[in-house]
Amino acid sequence: MDNNRIDIKNIPVKVETYKPEQPNQTKYASRDRIYVRSVKGLHQSLRRNMGFIFMALFMLLPWIQYNGSQAILLNIGEQKFNIFALTLWPQDFTILAWIFVIAAYALFFVTAFYGRVWCGYLCPQSVWTFIFMWFEEKIQGSRNQRMTLDQAPWTVSKFAKKALTHFCWLAFALLTSLIFVGYFTPVGPLFIEFFTFQAGFWAVISVLFFAACTYGNAGWMREIMCTHICPYARFQSAMFDKDTFTVTYDEKRGETRGPRSRKDKDYKEKGLGDCIDCNLCVHVCPTGIDIRNGLQYECINCGACIDACDDTMAKMGYPPGLISYTTEHSLNGKPTKVLRPKLVGYFVILLIVCAAFATNLYLRKPLELDIIRDRGALYRETPEGLIENTYTLSIINKSQQAKTYQLAVSGVNNYTWLGPTEITIAGGDSTNVPVSLALDPYSTAKPVLDIEFSVTELSDDGHKVSQGNKFFAGR
């Protein structure tokens, strides 16, 4: 018998799970509509001003002209992006990739430092949602008036207010959709052709599609985009730490909550904190959460609850900051470490990526050459007994000015050049130049020659590009 053997004994384990009885609750509860109350304050003024600047830039940039054409035109059909003096082609994909990488690490850095301020202040979903809520408030009234209106039976007045609200939503969604599509096609002709019913099929489909998305997201879905669809809300916790500034409720100061008179100066002796339980922080939250329940992924750090709470504290004669941008360490009486490894790491990587982007942009040549051989035959013999190879030189002028270039070839002697030796290409344009080289097969002993085509700019800059290829001598 093996003395080292350990006897196995089966131990029955019963796991009990607490499930509260909720007989009236369906499996999939319907979403409760959030009636957001307007609030004024420092953070909301900052958010509105930043949103206004963002929206103004979005609306005006497509209309700016540069060198007689649209300054920003992301022409997918022609596969080129014009951004003022910069023209990007499919060969410049790395530049766009660097831009996205920079944006990602900038977002990581800001999030690690100040939480989801991007979501609350500049995210397009938030900006458009707040604009739609502004229409709703101006037409249907304050929060309490909107709640009363929804509970009231349908009347002519209610129908008119609802219809006007949705008309404004649809009109603004259509306007912003036309502007957005105007980044990808000339914006002036797009507006004229759309409203005169002369726009192309794909232009109309694109405008209507993005208008419907804007209307649905900002008018109906709103916080659902932030809480269920946007992936940023899910992985943001990986960037948070105890030194990240987030919108936080000071539980030690605020609890225990309870109403009281403004003249009640002995509320602390009654065991009450500074929170008077007015629930304004909940009423002004665009995602409908109670910040007093602690940090939640639904919070977009817009600061609306801070302004509402500070206003209440001022009326009660209490110091502000019951809800504020602070850190977990600060709430626990510990010093906040701003320069910490995570934040420094994000910043260093951001600097490296920016440097790589600047280097890539600096080394980018405003001239591109690609050589395509005749696919029908490697070579052909002319009536004069010469061997001829045919090529197509695809030349791209990446600058915004017309340029003249000289074409040449090296690596072969005593050849005959058939085709233009100088060409002029408009700014931001490309052209294909058919070229043939003819050679006496007895002038070389090699069956295959290594040659190199070159394109040189005839200007003071003298940019030059070259690319190698083969010449088949037929021997």
Side-chain angles (χ1 to χ4, degrees):
M1 182 176 182
D2 190 359
N3 295 327
N4 295 325
R5 182 178 177 181
I6 300 176
D7 295 333
I8 300 176
K9 182 179 180 181
N10 292 325
I11 301 177
V13 178
K14 182 180 179 181
V15 179
E16 295 184 358
T17 304
Y18 172 70
K19 295 182 179 180
E21 296 181 1
Q22 296 177 330
N24 296 328
Q25 183 177 357
T26 59
K27 184 176 181 180
Y28 300 101
S30 61
R31 165 197 173 213
D32 293 330
R33 182 177 178 185
I34 298 175
Y35 296 89
V36 181
R37 179 173 180 168
S38 63
V39 61
K40 295 181 180 180
L42 173 64
H43 300 91
Q44 296 317 291
S45 296
L46 180 61
R47 178 189 59 77
R48 291 189 184 98
N49 291 335
M50 293 180 67
F52 176 80
I53 295 173
F54 171 83
M55 184 61 65
L57 288 175
F58 171 77
M59 293 283 190
L60 295 177
L61 282 178
W63 299 95
I64 298 176
Q65 297 292 307
Y66 183 83
N67 285 340
S69 59
Q70 191 168 318
I72 300 180
L73 182 59
L74 313 179
N75 196 323
I76 298 178
E78 297 183 5
Q79 296 185 353
K80 66 177 181 179
F81 292 176
N82 289 331
I83 307 175
F84 289 91
L86 180 66
T87 300
L88 300 179
W89 298 81
Q91 297 86 342
D92 300 314
F93 175 78
T94 53
I95 293 179
L96 292 176
W98 283 121
I99 293 176
F100 288 125
V101 173
I102 290 173
Y105 276 101
L107 182 62
F108 297 161
F109 173 77
V110 172
T111 302
F113 181 65
Y114 233 79
R116 290 181 65 183
V117 289
W118 159 260
C119 296
Y121 289 82
L122 281 179
C123 175
Q125 172 68 23
S126 298
V127 173
W128 262 261
T129 296
F130 280 115
I131 291 175
F132 275 44
M133 288 193 301
W134 180 86
F135 280 117
E136 198 173 41
E137 182 181 359
K138 294 301 179 182
I139 298 172
Q140 299 181 24
S142 64
R143 177 179 184 270
N144 292 334
Q145 290 174 328
R146 296 197 302 273
M147 295 174 66
T148 303
L149 181 66
D150 284 350
Q151 295 172 1
W154 281 97
T155 62
V156 175
S157 176
K158 179 177 180 178
F159 177 81
K161 290 181 179 180
K162 290 289 185 179
L164 182 58
T165 300
H166 288 275
F167 172 79
C168 292
W169 286 358
L170 287 169
F172 191 77
L174 180 62
L175 174 62
T176 55
S177 178
L178 283 165
I179 293 291
F180 179 74
V181 176
Y183 280 89
F184 301 91
T185 188
V187 65
L190 174 65
F191 268 77
I192 297 174
E193 293 172 0
F194 183 84
F195 289 107
T196 57
F197 304 102
Q198 297 178 353
F201 173 79
W202 288 113
V204 173
I205 291 297
S206 300
V207 170
L208 296 180
F209 172 77
F210 289 114
C213 290
T214 303
Y215 171 75
N217 291 344
W220 292 95
M221 299 184 68
R222 294 187 178 178
E223 79 283 353
I224 293 180
M225 291 294 298
C226 303
T227 58
H228 292 83
I229 299 177
C230 178
Y232 180 46
R234 301 297 179 176
F235 68 77
Q236 62 163 330
S237 58
M239 291 170 277
F240 280 15
D241 54 38
K242 295 182 179 181
D243 293 299
T244 299
F245 288 87
T246 58
V247 175
T248 309
Y249 167 69
D250 190 348
E251 184 178 355
K252 295 180 180 179
R253 174 186 161 187
E255 300 297 323
T256 301
R257 315 169 197 169
R260 80 292 305 268
S261 170
R262 294 185 185 180
K263 298 179 181 180
D264 188 357
K265 304 299 181 182
D266 301 327
Y267 64 93
K268 290 188 177 181
E269 297 178 1
K270 301 177 182 178
L272 296 176
D274 283 355
C275 179
I276 66 172
D277 205 19
C278 62
N279 285 328
L280 287 179
C281 56
V282 181
H283 295 169
V284 301
C285 179
T287 58
I289 65 171
D290 190 342
I291 194 63
R292 296 171 296 182
N293 294 333
L295 180 64
Q296 300 152 72
Y297 76 89
E298 295 93 343
C299 178
I300 61 174
N301 267 28
C302 64
C305 55
I306 298 178
D307 291 330
C309 187
D310 284 349
D311 182 61
T312 300
M313 293 295 103
K315 293 178 179 178
M316 296 296 297
Y318 302 161
L322 180 59
I323 302 176
S324 63
Y325 284 104
T326 188
T327 66
E328 183 178 344
H329 275 158
S330 179
L331 285 178
N332 294 328
K334 299 179 181 179
T336 297
K337 298 178 181 179
V338 177
L339 296 178
R340 55 194 186 275
K342 177 186 290 187
L343 194 64
V344 173
Y346 283 139
F347 183 71
V348 170
I349 295 176
L350 181 61
L351 289 180
I352 293 175
V353 174
C354 289
F357 168 74
T359 302
N360 196 345
L361 196 61
Y362 176 77
L363 296 178
R364 172 181 177 270
K365 291 184 178 180
L367 181 62
E368 188 81 22
L369 171 64
D370 190 23
I371 302 175
I372 305 172
R373 289 189 57 90
D374 183 8
R375 298 181 180 180
L378 293 178
Y379 64 90
R380 74 181 187 90
E381 186 174 352
T382 67
E384 294 80 9
L386 303 177
I387 299 299
E388 183 180 88
N389 285 207
T390 302
Y391 311 86
T392 300
L393 308 184
S394 180
I395 306 171
I396 302 176
N397 176 13
K398 296 181 179 180
S399 69
Q400 293 291 329
Q401 295 80 32
K403 300 289 185 180
T404 301
Y405 303 99
Q406 184 178 31
L407 313 181
V409 66
S410 60
V412 60
N413 299 318
N414 301 323
Y415 64 89
T416 300
W417 177 286
L418 303 175
T421 57
E422 287 188 9
I423 58 168
T424 299
I425 305 178
D429 203 355
S430 63
T431 187
N432 293 327
V433 183
V435 171
S436 295
L437 297 179
L439 180 68
D440 186 348
Y442 295 100
S443 64
T444 177
K446 297 181 179 180
V448 180
L449 301 175
D450 292 321
I451 61 175
E452 185 176 77
F453 287 95
S454 63
V455 179
T456 306
E457 181 183 332
L458 298 178
S459 66
D460 295 336
D461 296 332
H463 293 292
K464 178 180 179 180
V465 293
S466 58
Q467 184 174 337
N469 212 290
K470 302 290 185 181
F471 183 92
F472 294 90
R475 295 183 59 188

